[in-house]
Amino acid sequence: MATGDGTAPNLASVIRAENTLTNLPREDRGAVIKALMQNFVATGRISKAHAAAATKCVQLRESLGSTALGGGVALPHARVDFGDVDDGIIVGRIEL
């Protein structure tokens, strides 16, 4: 994730208030990833046309090794190259 001049963006430029979710359902990993991706679509960070493929990429990455850190914190992620994806981070907290 680099800016137009090749430098890394600052964290504040990729984390937006509308992408900060609380009390995500603790059903299972897939439900949380789906909720996060739905938020990315709803806020225009990724097109609806690419959401399913991006979700599969995140799920594939999770299948290689959990990104859970403990205490309800995880960093699910994937590298995608769809052209219409806006670099960004969704912050979510599951129900404890």
Side-chain angles (χ1 to χ4, degrees), residues 29 32-33 36 58-59 61-62 67-68 73-78 90:
R29 190 177 303 165
V32 171
I33 292 170
L36 295 173
V58 173
Q59 290 170 331
R61 168 57 189 87
E62 279 291 311
T67 61
V73 176
L75 302 171
H77 63 282
I90 300 174

Side-chain angles (χ1 to χ4, degrees), residues 36-56:
L36 295 173
M37 195 58 64
Q38 287 171 338
N39 175 269
F40 249 28
V41 170
T43 58
R45 304 297 289 265
I46 189 171
S47 72
K48 189 173 183 177
H50 290 134
T55 299
K56 286 182 183 179

Side-chain angles (χ1 to χ4, degrees), residues 47-88:
S47 72
K48 189 173 183 177
H50 290 134
T55 299
K56 286 182 183 179
C57 289
V58 173
Q59 290 170 331
L60 175 62
R61 168 57 189 87
E62 279 291 311
S63 74
L64 298 174
S66 175
T67 61
L69 302 176
V73 176
L75 302 171
H77 63 282
R79 186 176 304 266
V80 296
D81 188 19
F82 299 131
D84 69 339
V85 177
D86 181 18
D87 289 341

Side-chain angles (χ1 to χ4, degrees), residues 5-28:
D5 64 5
T7 61
N10 68 37
L11 205 50
S13 70
V14 293
I15 298 177
R16 299 179 184 165
E18 65 266 22
N19 299 123
T20 302
L21 310 176
T22 58
N23 297 317
L24 289 168
R26 194 183 174 114
E27 301 162 21
D28 61 55

